[in-house]
Amino acid sequence: MENYFKFVDTNREDFQKLMVENAYRCNAAGRQFMAERVNIVKPRQVNLDAETLRYAEEIGGLRPGDTFKYPNAQGGISKAVVCSLYDLPKNMVNPYLYCFSGFLTAPLFAMEILRFYAKSTRRALPFLTSGKEGNKGVFKKLFYRSSGLIRKTEYDTYTALMAQITGKDYAYRNYFPSNDDDSEGNLIEIYNFAVSQGLKEVTFVICSGNPFYDKRLLAEWMWQLKQEKFAAVKVNLVLAHCPIFLPKTSKVVIPEAKISEIYLGYIAACLGPLKKDTIRLNGVTKSTAPERYVMPKVFSADWEKFRDIIVNYSNMGWPNYQEILYGIPHEEAVSNIILSDLFARNSYTPEEYDEGIKNLIEDYLNFIGGSFQKQCKFKQWLLNTPDKRYFE
């Protein structure tokens, strides 16, 4: 951390005095306290080699064909299925395309699922999204605006981005206000939607846009779905793995589509918790309060490969990731998170985000032949789009 103070208008000693005054908090209030008192005077160089990037996808992501059986709230056994964007399982019960996680490229991945599912089945998946701004204030200036393509909340933004491609009728058909901004809260939101529809069984086709999130997401949701509060509707999980997407373009691209402070923050937030408070599928655990199942390759991973990411770029994470993985003292871990948070807040502007996502949507629309214009039925429009895949 010492080397990074050349980018900050506060020296290390004064920074630590502020941390003491802040009581070493790294929740939303603690991060805001420090953000109001410490400024980043210039960005730091952000690098990630291709080998580590691919290894992060291997450890955090899952492969099409992976399946996991787990106890459900109905007293039986459910199966979570992993697939590609282009090969969803057949015969899903009441499927909904669920797009969330904060990655602002996620609606483009969701569109690929929607297009190719229609081509395979001649049916259009209904669209769901949820999630607030979240991320401890990193995105406060992005979402807390009265104008702009990206604003208000994650679910408002995702719906608006989808509407740019599909039109409002499809994108807003199942729109509902979302109150929760963590993974458990999002599961509860969409479960309550299924209850409101009078369903007894539902399949959520999960599209996060995030190549590194698969294991954390399934590990937490499979564990939660055995709880009694999910007993009224049987929930089936189909996770569509979203590949790494780093477009080679001279146009401005959003931080989730390039190696950036925020991109590394997502990797840290996805990988960091995987060894924390785990329980095996057979019920064996050393944790007094398990939060997620043990996932393949997690405990045998070379975690030293991720030390720099998790220690220096955890702008969305918690200190116990560093403590568990690397034995870093608590106060030092909190200081690392606060410094990473400050860099992330100052690494983008809302205008750059808007311009970047507009360019990406324009490129995608050029690829599929334009947005839906109601000259034909929506399903027919999907069938008429090119058979070529946007994400290879």
Side-chain angles (χ1 to χ4, degrees), residues 49-119:
D49 63 272
E51 180 185 355
T52 302
L53 181 65
R54 292 295 180 188
Y55 191 56
E57 183 184 24
E58 178 184 342
I59 299 305
L62 289 164
R63 295 180 178 180
D66 288 341
T67 60
F68 303 91
K69 293 181 179 180
Y70 60 96
N72 59 34
Q74 291 72 39
I77 300 295
S78 287
K79 182 168 68 172
V81 178
V82 182
C83 61
S84 76
L85 306 174
Y86 302 103
D87 190 21
L88 268 60
K90 303 296 188 291
N91 303 316
M92 295 183 293
V93 179
N94 296 323
Y96 284 83
L97 174 55
Y98 177 53
C99 181
F100 92 116
S101 81
F103 245 57
L104 290 178
T105 52
L108 298 182
F109 289 94
M111 266 304 303
E112 288 293 273
I113 293 172
L114 178 62
R115 288 200 309 122
F116 281 84
Y117 183 78
K119 291 174 183 293

Side-chain angles (χ1 to χ4, degrees), residues 247 249-255 257-258 347-361:
T249 173
S250 59
K251 293 183 178 180
V252 176
V253 292
I254 61 177
K258 61 181 180 180
S347 66
Y348 71 91
T349 69
E351 294 74 24
E352 288 172 342
Y353 246 119
D354 275 344
E355 185 65 21
I357 196 66
K358 285 177 182 177
N359 286 333
L360 286 173
I361 291 175

